[in-house]
Amino acid sequence: MTTPPPTAPRPLGWLPSRILAAGLLLSVVATVLLGAIDNDLFLTSLLAAAVFALLLTALPAGLFLFYSRRQPPPELPRANRVAVWFSAVALVFFGVLLVGFGGSVDSLVDQIVGVAVGLVGIVTIVSALRFKAPQSSPTRLAHGRASVLGAMFLFFVVVITPKFACGCGTKGKYYQAEVKTDLRNLVPAEEAYFADQHRYGVLAELEQGNAYAPSSGDSIEIVAVDTIGWHALGQHMNLPDKQCGVWVGARPPDGMHGATEGQVICWSR
């Protein structure tokens, strides 16, 4: 009677890894295409790519924390241990990086995410030090090679979108998209203010009522405010050669470079 060959352990986390990698790839492609045509959705696709990259980086650590507490625990060969340790250390690094970008209101989300990410990394490191892998198990963690790709792209995103960097290349597109988003958000804020006060408001009045607040680094100027209309100009501190604008109700005397009502447009100064 022959003994059947041993069954290979079932990999855990193979499907989530493929899904997150595919999401990251699609988001990167969308970011490149939208950035090339100067579409405002560039920021959204970049944020989506960063989220996919962060989840892909955290996947080995998350899988380890979840399955190491189940019985029987999975096998943890050398390649898997390396992936778990890399994931944990990367999470601590990015956590510190995100918290370090704090200091302003709009970075509060960065700080919260940074603290959460860093804690997951620390807990993973402590758990990995205390974990005793079994000699054999019906399961093992899937290899986390894709987490390296996620960490590399996440680092790239953090580097190209800091609030204190120059406005060149991809950074310039990011800053311009940020200004355009601020101006676009100004339109419904002015409409809401008009509904309450029967006139349009200046920036200080909108900020005082918590109806509107520009992003850090953006300078927004609202001019020609009355009951008929208004227009606004916006500029980022790292893009001195670029200006954006929008008008509602009354077209500015200079025509704002042919922009239609409610259309946000940018031009070189």
Side-chain angles (χ1 to χ4, degrees), residues 43 174-184 212 217-220 233-236 239 243-244 264 266:
L43 275 179
Y174 172 86
Y175 293 133
Q176 181 173 299
E178 187 178 79
V179 175
K180 294 175 74 175
T181 298
D182 279 348
L183 291 173
R184 186 174 291 105
Y212 177 79
D218 288 351
S219 175
I220 304 296
L233 300 174
Q235 186 177 2
H236 194 279
L239 286 179
Q243 192 167 47
C244 303
V264 179
C266 297

Side-chain angles (χ1 to χ4, degrees):
M1 183 176 180
T2 59
T3 304
T7 304
R10 177 171 59 90
L12 304 172
W14 180 88
L15 182 59
S17 177
R18 296 302 184 273
I19 293 175
L20 293 177
L24 175 60
L25 178 61
L26 292 176
S27 300
V28 170
V29 172
T31 300
V32 173
L33 294 178
L34 293 172
I37 63 176
D38 199 22
N39 191 295
D40 292 346
L41 291 177
F42 165 78
L43 275 179
T44 303
S45 60
L46 182 63
L47 177 60
V51 171
F52 278 116
L54 178 59
L55 293 176
L56 199 59
T57 303
L59 185 61
L63 291 173
F64 172 76
L65 290 177
F66 181 77
Y67 286 108
S68 64
R69 289 168 170 76
R70 303 186 67 180
Q71 295 297 328
E75 292 182 3
L76 200 64
R78 183 177 182 277
N80 300 101
R81 290 198 304 271
V82 171
V84 171
W85 277 100
F86 174 83
S87 177
V89 173
L91 290 179
V92 173
F93 171 76
F94 286 119
V96 172
L97 210 58
L98 288 171
V99 172
F101 280 164
S104 59
V105 175
D106 65 318
S107 66
L108 180 60
V109 175
D110 293 345
Q111 296 181 44
I112 294 175
V113 173
V115 171
V117 166
L119 286 177
V120 171
I122 293 174
V123 171
T124 302
I125 292 174
V126 174
S127 299
L129 289 173
R130 301 174 59 183
F131 179 71
K132 294 183 179 180
Q135 296 295 327
S136 62
S137 175
T139 60
R140 65 171 175 81
L141 296 184
H143 291 303
R145 299 186 184 95
S147 64
V148 178
L149 176 63
M152 291 176 59
F153 182 80
L154 187 60
F155 181 76
F156 172 75
V157 171
V158 172
V159 167
I160 70 169
T161 58
K163 297 177 176 58
F164 307 104
C166 71
C168 48
T170 306
K171 296 174 185 176
K173 293 181 179 180
Y174 172 86
Y175 293 133
Q176 181 173 299
E178 187 178 79
V179 175
K180 294 175 74 175
T181 298
D182 279 348
L183 291 173
R184 186 174 291 105
N185 292 337
L186 185 59
V187 176
E190 283 283 14
E191 293 301 323
Y193 189 87
F194 185 89
D196 291 336
Q197 305 295 331
H198 306 293
R199 66 175 179 85
Y200 296 109
V202 296
L203 182 60
E205 292 172 325
L206 296 179
E207 290 180 322
Q208 185 177 5
N210 297 322
Y212 177 79
S215 301
S216 175
D218 288 351
S219 175
I220 304 296
E221 179 187 6
I222 305 175
V223 294
V225 177
D226 53 28
T227 59
I228 299 176
W230 58 275
H231 68 271
L233 300 174
Q235 186 177 2
H236 194 279
M237 59 181 296
N238 292 320
L239 286 179
D241 59 336
K242 286 284 186 178
Q243 192 167 47
C244 303
V246 63
W247 66 272
V248 171
R251 184 189 295 270
D254 61 358
M256 196 169 281
H257 297 266
T260 59
E261 183 174 9
Q263 178 190 8
V264 179
I265 188 173
C266 297
W267 58 89
S268 298
R269 302 186 64 180

